[in-house]
């Protein structure tokens, strides 16, 4: 059974940093693109970042480029999102997700999400 | 990068059919057969319903179908049931630097 379990969310002050982790199991992690997608309270899904299977290719939404860094450790079956210079508008549930098909564009499995709250 | 355009809400009675549109550009929806649709219940993670425009993952009811014409993709749900009441999101591959874009979401109400 495919499982994606996020951790690392919490309350952080504006300008602060947070590192999210996603532990994957039930599939060969090193074969798949992986994504981070977020959802602000009461709002829609917003794609944040993705990384290819070996970590050599990354893309970011304009809203987080230069502040967030996606990474992975295939030996540990783990995906990460380092978030710096956090803003109130980064407050959201962050989902870790597995990508499929062309350049991993669609998501076939999602984690349950971890809540990040940016507030003073 | 601009989100794909979806209607904010749609509603219909049980047994009826509805179609949710997802409008993009030739750089995303219109340029590739890489459109997917997700269903999300409040407080839950999204679930994949359609991928590559028309394909249903195993376990998804055949009441759900996808299509595309030009820059607009559509999700059709036939024989509406109360359990279909949820939010629906489209997504597409895009030639922009981000490569992935979501729609703003559509709230389906089953009357």
């Amino acid at each position: 059974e495919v499982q994606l379990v996020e951790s690392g969310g919490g309350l952080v002050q504006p300008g602060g940093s947070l590192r999210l982790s996603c532990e994957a199991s039930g599939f060969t992690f090193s074969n798949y693109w992986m994504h981070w997608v977020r959802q602000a309270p009461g709002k829609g899904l917003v794609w944040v970042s993705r990384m290819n299977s070996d970590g050599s290719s990354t893309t970011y939404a304009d809203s987080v480029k230069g502040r967030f860094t996606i990474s992975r450790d295939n030996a540990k079956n783990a995906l990460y999102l380092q978030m710096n210079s956090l803003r109130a508008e980064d407050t959201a549930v962050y989902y870790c997700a597995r990508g499929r098909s062309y350049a991993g564009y669609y998501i076939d499995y999602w984690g349950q999400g971890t809540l990040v709250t940016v507030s003073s | 990068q601009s989100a794909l355009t979806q209607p904010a809400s749609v509603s219909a009675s049980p047994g009826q059919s509805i179609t949710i549109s997802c409008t993009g550009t030739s750089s995303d929806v219109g340029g590739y057969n890489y459109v997917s649709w997700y269903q999300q219940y409040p407080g839950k993670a999204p679930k994949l319903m359609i991928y590559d425009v028309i394909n249903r993952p195993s376990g998804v009811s055949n009441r759900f179908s996808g299509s595309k014409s030009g820059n607009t993709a559509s999700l059709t749900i036939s024989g509406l049931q109360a359990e279909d009441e949820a939010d629906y999101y489209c997504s597409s591959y895009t030639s922009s630097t981000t490569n992935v874009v979501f729609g703003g979401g559509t709230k389906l109400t089953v009357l």
Side-chain angles (χ1 to χ4, degrees):
Chain A
E1 178 192 7
V2 172
Q3 287 197 326
L4 299 168
V5 180
E6 302 94 337
S7 61
L11 175 63
V12 61
Q13 292 188 337
S17 297
L18 212 55
R19 188 195 196 205
L20 305 183
S21 299
C22 171
E23 183 177 327
S25 61
F27 65 102
T28 304
F29 180 72
S30 59
N31 286 351
Y32 291 86
W33 289 75
M34 295 296 295
H35 297 260
W36 288 101
V37 178
R38 69 185 181 184
Q39 187 169 36
K43 302 296 184 181
L45 299 173
V46 175
W47 175 81
V48 173
S49 181
R50 67 170 190 164
M51 174 172 270
N52 71 342
S53 57
D54 66 7
S56 62
S57 175
T58 60
T59 52
Y60 298 92
D62 289 346
S63 58
V64 307
K65 200 173 296 183
R67 300 188 300 122
F68 290 12
T69 302
I70 189 173
S71 62
R72 65 192 295 162
D73 186 335
N74 285 345
K76 295 183 177 179
N77 293 336
L79 180 73
Y80 306 102
L81 186 67
Q82 177 66 43
M83 303 185 296
N84 299 332
S85 303
L86 282 162
R87 308 165 180 167
E89 54 265 36
D90 296 318
T91 294
V93 172
Y94 284 74
Y95 293 102
C96 165
R98 188 177 83 168
R100 296 295 302 276
S101 189
Y102 183 72
Y105 90 90
Y106 80 81
I107 291 168
D108 63 349
Y109 285 96
W110 301 69
Q112 285 305 301
T114 187
L115 176 63
V116 172
T117 303
V118 184
S119 175
S120 55
Chain B
Q1 64 278 26
S2 300
L4 305 175
T5 301
Q6 298 180 232
S9 63
V10 297
S11 61
S13 299
Q16 293 185 322
S17 296
I18 63 96
T19 297
I20 299 172
S21 61
C22 171
T23 302
T25 69
S26 58
S27 296
D28 39 62
V29 174
Y32 309 91
N33 287 324
Y34 296 133
V35 176
S36 55
W37 289 89
Y38 305 90
Q39 176 191 64
Q40 186 183 35
Y41 295 115
K44 300 296 186 181
K47 174 187 176 183
L48 177 67
M49 305 302 285
I50 296 287
Y51 66 95
D52 294 350
V53 178
I54 61 171
N55 295 314
R56 273 189 314 275
S58 175
V60 171
S61 171
N62 59 9
R63 297 185 298 105
F64 291 83
S65 62
S67 62
K68 192 186 83 167
S69 177
N71 294 338
T72 299
S74 298
L75 173 71
T76 298
I77 310 174
S78 59
L80 270 177
Q81 300 179 0
E83 67 201 48
D84 299 331
E85 185 164 295
D87 294 325
Y88 291 86
Y89 295 89
C90 64
S91 178
S92 173
Y93 176 84
T94 169
S95 59
S96 75
T97 55
T98 62
N99 294 145
V100 179
V101 62
F102 278 94
T106 298
K107 180 177 180 59
L108 169 62
T109 301
V110 180
L111 301 171

